[in-house]
Amino acid sequence: MPNEKVTQFAAQFRDPKDLKRQSNPNLKQMTAALDGLRAMGQEGVTGLVDLLKPDAEGGDVHVRHCLHGQAMRAGGWPEKDRQAFTKALAGTLKGDHPKQAKAFVIRQLQVAGGTEVAAALGEWLLDDELWEDAAQALLAIGDTAEQFLKALPNAKGKQLLTIVQALGVMKVNNAAERIRELVTADDASLRQVAARALADMADAGAVEPLLKAADTAKGFDRTKQTGACLQLAENLLVLGGKKEANRIYKHLRDTRKDPAEAYIREAAEHALKRMD
Amino acid sequence: MTRKASSLSRRRFIQSSSAAVAAAATCQIVPRHVIGQGQVPPSETFGGALIGVGGRGPGTYNGMCRGLNVKQLALCDVKFVGRADNKKVYTDFRRVLERKDIDLIAIATPPHWHALISIAAAEAGKDVLCEKPMTRFIAEGRAVVNAFKRYNRIFQIGTFGRYGASGNRGNITTHKIMRSGLLKPCEAVHIKAGGLKVKQWSGDPGLLPQQVPRSLDWDFYCGPSPLKPYVRPRTGGTHRGYWDYEGGGLSDMAQHHFDPIQWTFGKDDTSPVEIEAHAPPPHPECTGMWGWVELKYADGLTFAMDSREWGERYTRKKERGVSLDDLSPEDRKKVEAMPDPAKLLSFAEAVKTRGQAGGNAEAAHRCAAMLHLANIAIRVRRKIKYDPVKEEIIGDPEANRFVNPPTRAPWRL
C-alpha cells in the first residue's frame, strides 16, 4: 500500500508542464513537501520509490520530480544526513521494484551518492538493463575502481566496453595488462576504447602496442588510435616519462609521410620542440 | 547579434545541397593536404561537409562557407537511415571524417554531440564551425580546446556578435580597461533581462515511450548521453528542453547574448567564481523555469540573467558600465596608451591564414562554461564557488559532478 503521507507530499509537485503555462509555481509548497519528506527519514525515501512506475505506464512524473528535487538538495546537507538519504535510496535496489524504477533510483544516486553506496551500485554492473546507469553513477561518484575491477573478468560486449572505458577514466593502472590484450580486439570500438583507456592510465607498457595498432589501422580507427598515442605521450610526460613520450612523438613524426597526415607529423614535431 | 540567417528553408537547403553534393562529386577538388597544411589550394576550393542537417544546419553551413569557396561533399545525419549511400549522404559522422577530400566541417547536431564531433574532426585534420552552444557540459569545452591546440586546427563557434561588438569604440575602451587589470575592484554589472526563451525551451515531461521512426538511429542520436526511451520532443529542436542534450533556452540563447559581452569585458580566458540562482526544484529530465542567475568574476564584475518568466526579478544590483573616469589619472594614461586589441579574424580569414578565429575554442568554451555554471546553480539551488583555473566547483562534490558527467561508451572526450 502506498504511504499516504508520502503520496500527499509528492502531489505538491505538479506536472512541470503546468509550470510552463503558469508564471508562478508554488515554490513554498514544493519546499514544504521536500522538508516534510526529509523529516520522515527512511520512510520518506522508500515511500517515494514505492510510487515509481515503469516508463511505459507513466503517471509518476510528480514523484520523479520530487525525488530528484530531494536528491539535488541532499548534496547541500550535512554529510550524515546525505548518507542517511542515499543509503535509504540504495537499500531500495534490493527490492522488487521495476527495473526502470531502479534505473531512476540509480540516476539519483549518481547525483547525491558517495562511496557509501558503491557496493550497492556495483552489484548492477553486469545487469542486462542497468549496467550503464550503474557505471555512470559509479564514475560520477569516483573512487569506485574496486567495483569495476570486480566486474571486469565476467564482462562481455557493451558491458566490457563500458567497464574498460570507466577503468581508463579512473586511471586504474592495475587493469592495464588485461586491457592491452583488447587493443587488437576484432571490434573497432573496443580497440579504440582500450587504446584510450591505456592512454588515460599513462601506461608505459602500452607504447609499443598502441603505436603498432595506430600504424596498421585504417580510416577513423587510425585517427582514434593515433589520437590515443598522442594522449598517451602527453600523460606520460606529466608523470615524467620523457623517454617514452619521445619515442611516440619521433615515431609519429617519422612515419606519417602521407600528405593527408601532415598535421599529425606537425603535431609530433611541435611536441618534440616543446620537450627540448 | 547573429548575422542574418539564410532565408532558405531547411527542406529546400537539403534538396539543393543533395544536388550540389552530387555535382561536386563529378568535379575535381584539390584537397588542402595535397599541397600541404596551411596552404590554400590553387583553386581556393575547400571540401565541406555538414553534420546535423536539421534546424540550424543550413545556417551553420552557410556561416562556414562565408568568404570561402566551398564545395559541399557530404551531408550527415542520424535520421538518414535508409537514405545513406556513404558517398554523399551519411548517417555516421566517422565515415565523413575519413574522407581526405573534406577540409571543413559544419556541426549543427544537438549540443550533446558538438564536442565529440569537433574533437574527432580535429583529430582527422579538419577545421570546424560549430553551432552554439558549444557544449553540453564544462569539461567538453576544455577537451575541445586541447584537441584544437594539439592538432593546430581552426575552431569557430556559430555566433558572431563579438565581431560587431569588438568594432565599437566604447566596447574597445571597456575591453582595454578590463584587460589592463587596473580597475580593482570592478563594480560593473551587466544584466540580460528576458530573451532567454525559458518557457519556449522547457521540456515536455512524463510522455510515454513512442515507436522510434524507421529513419532514425536512436542509439546513435543519444550517443554519449544516457540511452532513454524515445519520445518525439527529444529530437527536432525541442531537444533543447532536455538536460541529456542541452540546457533549455538559457543554453540555447545565452551564448548569443553573452559572447560579445564576454569579449567586451575581457573575460575570454576566465570564468565566474561565484554563481547563485533563484529557481524551483529542477525536474530530472526536462529543463524548466527559473527566475534569475548572478555570476560574479574574481575582480568583482557581475553578470546577471533575469528570465522575466518566473519568480522574483533580479534586484540585487543595478546595471553599471565601466569608464576611464573610474581610474586614477595615472592609470587612465596607461590605458589610453594601450594599443587597440587585434582585429578578430573571421572563420574564412583564420582558415586561409591559419591564425586564430575570433570565436575560437577557448573564448567559446569560457562563454559556454558561464551558461553551464548558471544551469548548475539553477539545478542545485545553492550558491556555488568555481575555480576558473582548475575548472572545478569548490567544496561541493555533488555540484561538481555536473562539470564533467560520465559519457556512454564508446564515446569519450
Side-chain angles (χ1 to χ4, degrees):
Chain A
M1 282 292 286
N3 185 313
E4 205 173 305
K5 213 168 152 189
V6 171
T7 305
Q8 282 173 7
F9 281 134
Q12 305 306 307
F13 277 68
R14 293 173 300 167
D15 186 333
K17 269 196 281 190
D18 292 344
L19 305 190
K20 286 172 76 175
R21 290 192 286 267
Q22 297 176 26
S23 60
N24 193 21
N26 199 327
L27 177 58
K28 210 170 157 187
Q29 200 172 290
M30 294 161 101
T31 307
L34 292 177
D35 288 343
L37 284 162
R38 184 180 178 186
M40 288 177 75
Q42 186 173 344
E43 189 191 357
V45 178
T46 55
L48 272 179
V49 175
D50 288 342
L51 295 175
L52 292 172
K53 295 177 179 170
D55 293 338
E57 204 173 309
D60 64 347
V61 65
H62 59 297
V63 181
R64 289 176 182 239
H65 191 176
C66 183
L67 183 51
H68 181 68
Q70 197 73 304
M72 295 296 276
R73 289 206 326 170
W77 293 347
E79 183 61 8
K80 198 177 138 202
D81 293 5
R82 186 196 62 77
Q83 283 203 23
F85 172 76
T86 58
K87 282 179 184 169
L89 206 49
T92 68
L93 293 173
K94 286 184 181 151
D96 56 1
H97 297 98
K99 279 279 180 76
Q100 288 159 344
K102 288 185 180 180
F104 185 76
V105 167
I106 290 172
R107 290 198 290 273
Q108 304 324 300
L109 289 171
Q110 177 172 335
V111 168
T115 48
E116 74 280 357
V117 296
L121 289 167
E123 287 179 25
W124 299 97
L125 276 177
L126 297 175
D127 181 86
D128 285 346
E129 291 175 58
L130 300 179
W131 95 89
E132 221 159 36
D133 293 303
Q136 297 210 353
L138 285 164
L139 268 174
I141 289 166
D143 201 14
T144 53
E146 192 190 332
Q147 304 305 322
F148 290 104
L149 285 170
K150 210 159 51 175
L152 180 63
N154 297 315
K156 290 188 176 65
K158 286 187 174 179
Q159 291 172 355
L160 179 61
L161 203 66
T162 299
I163 288 168
V164 170
Q165 180 158 302
L167 289 166
V169 171
M170 300 183 92
K171 305 183 191 336
V172 187
N173 297 58
N174 51 355
E177 202 176 321
R178 165 74 178 120
I179 294 175
R180 267 182 240 142
E181 295 166 13
L182 303 175
V183 172
T184 54
D186 290 337
D187 178 63
S189 290
L190 186 55
R191 286 198 299 273
Q192 289 162 24
V193 164
R196 178 58 197 272
L198 292 165
D200 288 335
M201 293 170 190
D203 176 36
V207 172
E208 296 309 324
L210 257 58
L211 285 174
K212 193 176 167 192
D215 287 349
T216 52
K218 303 260 182 276
F220 188 77
D221 196 24
R222 184 177 175 89
T223 298
K224 293 310 280 186
Q225 296 286 358
T226 304
C229 290
L230 289 167
Q231 186 71 60
L232 176 61
E234 286 173 21
N235 291 346
L236 284 165
L237 267 180
V238 171
L239 298 179
K242 197 172 174 183
K243 191 179 142 202
E244 292 88 352
N246 200 50
R247 159 88 181 114
I248 293 171
Y249 289 134
K250 281 188 172 162
H251 180 86
L252 293 176
R253 181 195 63 188
D254 298 341
T255 57
R256 296 314 192 253
K257 303 289 187 194
D258 185 335
E261 289 188 309
Y263 70 100
I264 299 288
R265 195 169 59 243
E266 286 166 12
E269 272 169 1
H270 283 303
L272 283 166
K273 271 182 202 157
R274 279 198 304 271
M275 282 172 69
D276 289 341
Chain B
M1 293 293 191
T2 322
R3 285 186 190 174
K4 198 180 168 189
S6 163
S7 58
L8 202 61
S9 75
R10 183 159 54 89
R11 188 179 297 274
R12 245 186 81 202
F13 174 84
I14 293 167
Q15 282 168 352
S16 60
S17 293
S18 298
V21 165
T26 63
C27 301
Q28 190 63 42
I29 295 171
V30 183
R32 198 164 21 142
H33 68 259
V34 170
I35 52 162
Q37 293 295 308
Q39 303 301 313
V40 178
S43 60
E44 287 201 334
T45 300
F46 295 84
L50 170 61
I51 300 174
V53 304
R56 288 287 309 141
T60 305
Y61 188 81
N62 290 337
M64 180 185 80
C65 296
R66 198 171 293 133
L68 295 169
N69 187 12
V70 185
K71 287 274 186 198
Q72 191 176 70
L73 299 180
L75 291 170
C76 178
D77 203 298
V78 290
K79 68 185 176 196
F80 284 163
V81 174
R83 270 183 66 185
D85 58 9
N86 283 332
K87 288 175 185 161
K88 306 158 206 162
V89 180
Y90 297 78
T91 54
D92 188 335
F93 72 89
R94 294 171 292 190
R95 303 289 83 80
V96 175
L97 298 181
E98 284 172 346
R99 286 183 58 167
K100 294 177 181 179
D101 56 349
I102 290 176
D103 303 301
L104 309 177
I105 304 285
I107 302 170
T109 62
H112 66 296
W113 268 115
H114 286 179
L116 283 166
I117 298 176
S118 293
I119 291 166
E123 287 173 336
K126 322 292 188 195
D127 295 332
V128 167
L129 191 139
C130 180
E131 179 55 24
K132 56 81 206 165
M134 180 195 192
T135 48
R136 184 174 74 91
F137 54 85
I138 293 172
E140 287 182 323
R142 180 52 56 206
V144 172
V145 171
N146 289 342
F148 279 77
K149 206 178 282 176
R150 181 192 288 158
Y151 295 99
N152 195 25
R153 303 293 91 192
I154 307 296
F155 179 93
Q156 165 70 42
I157 191 70
T159 185
F160 306 98
R162 63 171 44 217
Y163 288 94
S166 61
N168 174 288
R169 198 66 241 163
N171 290 342
I172 291 171
T173 302
T174 299
H175 182 88
K176 285 161 74 171
I177 293 169
M178 297 301 291
R179 294 301 293 179
S180 74
L182 296 168
L183 192 63
K184 285 178 186 168
C186 172
E187 292 174 352
V189 180
H190 174 82
I191 303 169
K192 173 62 191 160
L196 291 158
K197 300 188 177 178
V198 181
K199 282 180 195 167
Q200 185 181 341
W201 295 128
S202 285
D204 209 356
L207 298 176
L208 297 181
Q210 297 163 0
Q211 183 75 37
V212 179
R214 271 188 287 185
S215 59
L216 176 67
D217 185 336
W218 175 242
D219 192 298
F220 210 156
Y221 178 90
C222 292
S225 292
L227 182 64
K228 299 278 175 69
Y230 171 80
V231 290
R232 198 206 52 76
R234 282 181 172 267
T235 63
T238 41
H239 68 265
R240 291 174 173 90
Y242 291 83
W243 295 118
D244 288 335
Y245 319 121
E246 199 169 333
L250 193 158
S251 283
D252 196 56
M253 296 307 294
Q255 192 140 15
H256 275 321
H257 295 308
F258 281 90
D259 188 64
I261 303 299
Q262 180 183 280
W263 181 88
T264 300
F265 283 94
K267 300 297 183 194
D268 274 358
D269 55 359
T270 189
S271 297
V273 296
E274 282 182 14
I275 308 97
E276 206 170 349
H278 165 61
H283 187 268
E285 309 280 332
C286 298
T287 67
M289 305 303 292
W290 52 273
W292 52 257
V293 189
E294 184 184 76
L295 306 108
K296 210 173 183 181
Y297 285 84
D299 61 3
L301 172 69
T302 301
F303 289 163
M305 304 171 187
D306 184 346
S307 82
R308 287 187 170 178
E309 297 189 52
W310 179 85
E312 298 166 7
R313 294 290 308 272
Y314 179 77
T315 53
R316 289 180 157 196
K317 291 182 178 176
K318 287 198 163 57
E319 180 97 15
R320 188 190 189 285
V322 297
S323 80
L324 290 167
D325 295 339
D326 295 333
L327 300 169
S328 68
E330 196 177 298
D331 287 345
R332 184 183 176 125
K333 274 182 199 162
K334 285 181 193 165
V335 170
E336 284 171 341
M338 284 170 71
D340 282 355
K343 179 185 169 283
L344 299 179
L345 294 184
S346 69
F347 180 67
E349 289 165 335
V351 167
K352 287 177 182 171
T353 64
R354 310 312 294 167
Q356 183 165 261
N360 60 77
E362 178 71 34
H365 160 56
R366 289 297 182 175
C367 187
M370 188 199 309
L371 48 104
H372 296 321
L373 286 167
N375 262 332
I376 294 171
I378 285 169
R379 294 176 84 176
V380 300
R381 300 170 65 232
R382 51 186 180 265
K383 187 174 184 173
I384 52 175
K385 293 189 175 184
Y386 186 68
D387 182 331
V389 178
K390 290 183 180 164
E391 300 193 305
E392 288 173 2
I393 290 172
I394 303 163
D396 191 337
E398 288 78 19
N400 195 47
R401 287 176 195 173
F402 291 95
V403 171
N404 187 14
T407 52
R408 201 159 65 101
W411 310 112
R412 170 91 173 91
L413 284 177

